[in-house]
Amino acid sequence: MTIVAWIDRAHREQWALGQFNISNLEVLQAIVEAANQERSPVIVGVSMGSLRHIGLPYLAGLIAGARQAATVPLFFHLDHGADLTTVQACIDIGFDSVMLDASRASVAENIHLVRQAVAYAHPRNVGVEAQIGETWDEETGDRVESRTDPAQVADFVEQSGIDYVAISFGNTPGRLEGTAAVDVDLIRACAAQSPVPIVLHGGSSIPDGAVHLALAAGAAKINIDTVLRQAATQVFETQYGSAAPPADPRKAFTAARDAVRQVVAAKMQLFGSANKAP
C-alpha cells in the first residue's frame, strides 16, 4: 500500500499515522525501532532544516538503511518543502510523500505552485500535501497565524489535486512549552468540507483529549517534532551536566535514542496506529 492508501485507511477507521521528524541518525533509528515495536505504519518527516543539516547524499543512504531495518510500512515525507526544486530532489532520492508549503502566498498562488508539485509527484506514485491557512514556523520561530477558512477547503483541494490537506486550527508547531489552544470545532468544519484527509501540524502541543476528538473529526496524519527534540536534549543535558560526563558521545546518543523511542511509541498508541501494520 502507498502512503496515500494508508492515510485513506486511517481516515476511514478514525485513527492517524504519525509523522515523526528526524534531526539525526539516532532519531531516525528510534522512530524505526518504535514502529517495529508497536507494529505501526510510520511516516518519517524531514524538514528543510534537517534537509540542510543532513544533506541529500547522506539522506539517501539513511532512507535505504531505514527501509532495510523496518519490518512495518515506512514512508519518507518532505515537511514544509520550500520550493519545487527541493520537492523534485527529494522525490528523486526516494521520498514517498512531499509537502510544498506556499501557505503564506495568496490562495490562487498557493494552488498554482502546489499543482506543479502534484504534476511531478503523482506520475511517480508520490503523495502530495499542502496547507491552507498559516501556522507558526517551527524553523524560524515566526508566530504569524491565519486560521483556515472551511469554506475555502474543498475548492483548494480540488483545484490543487493534493492527497491530504494541512490546516491552521490554533496549532503551534515548534512550541517548546505548554499546550496549544486547539479549535476542535474548526477541525470538524474543515474535515466536513474536505474531500481528502486532514493533516494536523504541531502535534507535540495538541492535548491528548483534543487528539481523540480530531481523530473522530477526520484527522488522519499528525506531525510530531518538538517533543522528540526535547526528549533528546534532556538526555544530553543530564549526561553532560553530570559530575562525570561520558567521554564517549555514543553513550549519550544511545540514551537519547532510547528516550525518543519511548516518546514515539507512546504517540503511536495515542494515535491508534499501533498494531495496524500487517
Side-chain angles (χ1 to χ4, degrees):
M1 286 172 60
T2 65
I3 185 173
V4 175
W6 270 105
I7 292 174
D8 284 344
R9 175 189 164 185
H11 182 245
R12 291 193 307 271
E13 297 177 358
Q14 296 190 336
W15 53 276
L17 273 81
Q19 174 188 304
F20 301 94
N21 282 18
I22 62 170
S23 49
N24 59 17
L25 168 64
E26 285 76 18
V27 172
L28 174 59
Q29 291 172 323
I31 293 166
V32 175
E33 289 174 7
N36 289 344
Q37 170 190 312
E38 297 299 320
R39 304 307 304 160
S40 171
V42 66
I43 302 169
V44 176
V46 183
S47 68
M48 292 297 297
S50 290
L51 199 59
R52 289 187 293 268
H53 175 70
I54 298 169
L56 277 173
Y58 289 104
L59 188 55
L62 291 180
I63 291 172
R67 293 201 195 284
Q68 281 193 319
T71 60
V72 296
L74 176 144
F75 306 101
F76 277 79
H77 173 84
L78 172 63
D79 191 28
H80 293 286
D83 50 63
L84 184 61
T85 299
T86 303
V87 163
Q88 292 172 332
C90 288
I91 292 172
D92 291 346
I93 67 165
F95 276 55
D96 307 279
S97 177
V98 291
M99 176 187 188
L100 196 153
D101 185 359
S103 59
R104 298 197 174 181
S106 67
V107 174
E109 180 66 7
N110 192 351
I111 291 170
H112 169 71
L113 294 170
V114 171
R115 286 182 67 171
Q116 295 178 50
V118 169
Y120 193 83
H122 279 181
R124 294 163 175 80
N125 210 28
V126 171
V128 180
E129 175 183 334
Q131 180 171 305
I132 182 168
E134 298 177 54
T135 55
W136 290 17
D137 189 326
E138 59 190 292
E139 294 290 334
T140 66
D142 189 352
R143 298 189 178 187
V144 173
E145 178 191 37
S146 176
R147 298 196 180 190
T148 304
D149 180 355
Q152 295 181 322
V153 171
D155 190 58
F156 177 76
V157 169
E158 289 165 1
Q159 289 198 47
S160 62
I162 56 175
D163 301 291
Y164 17 90
V165 61
I167 61 171
S168 174
F169 54 93
N171 46 329
T172 51
R175 184 171 186 148
L176 296 177
E177 58 185 24
T179 55
V182 174
D183 187 341
V184 176
D185 287 337
L186 181 57
I187 297 173
R188 291 193 185 101
C190 290
Q193 296 298 318
S194 178
V196 298
I198 296 292
V199 178
L200 306 184
H201 285 243
S204 296
S205 64
I206 301 175
D208 289 359
V211 167
H212 291 300
L213 294 173
L215 295 177
K221 176 176 178 283
I222 303 177
N223 295 7
I224 299 291
D225 188 359
T226 303
V227 71
L228 307 186
R229 299 187 200 185
Q230 288 177 322
T233 299
Q234 287 168 2
V235 169
F236 296 143
E237 289 175 344
T238 300
Q239 294 265 342
Y240 288 102
S242 66
D248 184 347
R250 290 173 297 185
K251 294 181 179 179
F253 277 108
T254 297
R257 180 173 60 200
D258 187 58
V260 172
R261 178 189 56 77
Q262 293 180 52
V263 172
V264 173
K267 292 297 183 184
M268 288 172 168
Q269 293 171 19
L270 173 64
F271 299 162
S273 65
N275 296 314
K276 292 296 194 301

